[in-house]
Amino acid sequence: MITGPQRPMRLDALRERLRAQDDASLTIAVAELLRVADDDGVVDRGRWLASVRAASQRTASGTSGGGAVWQVGPDQEAGEFSRYLREHVLNRLSDWGLAAPEPDDEGWERVRFSADAWEELEPRRAAVQAEFDAFVRRLAYAARTTGRASVSVPEAPGDSTLRAVDLTKT
């Protein structure tokens, strides 16, 4: 059985926790959970699994070799993937007071954000998703350029964007 703290982790703490974990797969799973949640903060298990699988494959296609995400092949059994998400993602989210599987057993059918977490996340949903997506891209880029599966990616204040203006190729 999964048990969590009384109060859910605040969004700022979640950001810091995901950065400290330096784990693109966890960030992808959280971003996709937020992306496919309904208006009540509930996500169907199958829909979340499909969304995480698709996002992982998109991100992995941008990495060479041992990228920053787990590789989810088409032949990987749904049960194995579901078990991974349950044990490595939902356990953390539950411990952090953010979300939990329902029912709380091996046959879980859906995930529900805690009421307090959903109240904070839902109004800022698009911005949080974009932030998590950008973090995953930075991890994947760093893994691709350094050849390391996990790297620390410092973030500039305000999450800077690289721009080029009026460049001429010679």
Side-chain angles (χ1 to χ4, degrees):
M1 172 147 75
I2 297 177
T3 59
Q6 297 292 11
R7 294 225 8 111
M9 180 180 295
R10 302 301 299 185
L11 180 56
D12 291 338
L14 173 61
R15 286 181 182 112
E16 292 308 312
R17 181 71 57 101
L18 290 174
R19 286 186 184 105
Q21 298 282 321
D22 202 22
D23 182 348
S25 64
L26 176 62
T27 306
I28 287 171
V30 173
E32 293 307 308
L33 187 64
L34 186 58
R35 187 179 328 278
V36 298
D38 67 16
D39 291 339
D40 297 321
V42 178
V43 179
D44 173 74
R45 171 185 177 159
R47 187 167 183 217
W48 184 45
L49 293 176
S51 183
V52 171
R53 183 180 297 265
S56 299
Q57 289 172 336
R58 279 192 311 272
T59 303
S61 69
T63 63
S64 58
V69 297
W70 34 204
Q71 301 293 320
V72 183
D75 58 340
Q76 184 176 21
E77 291 185 31
E80 179 183 338
F81 188 52
S82 175
R83 190 171 28 264
Y84 174 85
L85 289 177
R86 169 93 163 100
E87 293 173 3
H88 297 282
V89 175
L90 289 178
N91 282 351
R92 291 183 197 180
L93 297 181
S94 183
D95 287 345
W96 298 344
L98 293 173
E102 292 180 346
D104 187 14
D105 59 28
E106 289 300 314
W108 60 282
E109 299 170 4
R110 66 196 152 276
V111 179
R112 181 180 304 273
F113 279 95
S114 70
D116 288 342
W118 188 244
E119 184 178 318
E120 182 178 7
L121 289 169
E122 200 277 330
R124 297 162 43 190
R125 192 173 182 167
V128 172
Q129 287 169 343
E131 178 182 345
F132 290 170
D133 290 345
F135 180 59
V136 169
R137 283 191 305 275
R138 285 193 302 274
L139 285 173
Y141 174 78
R144 189 170 56 248
T145 58
T146 65
R148 293 170 46 199
S150 179
V151 295
S152 294
V153 181
E155 185 170 331
D159 196 17
S160 65
T161 302
L162 180 61
R163 288 184 27 209
V165 179
D166 296 328
L167 293 178
T168 304
K169 183 175 178 181
T170 59

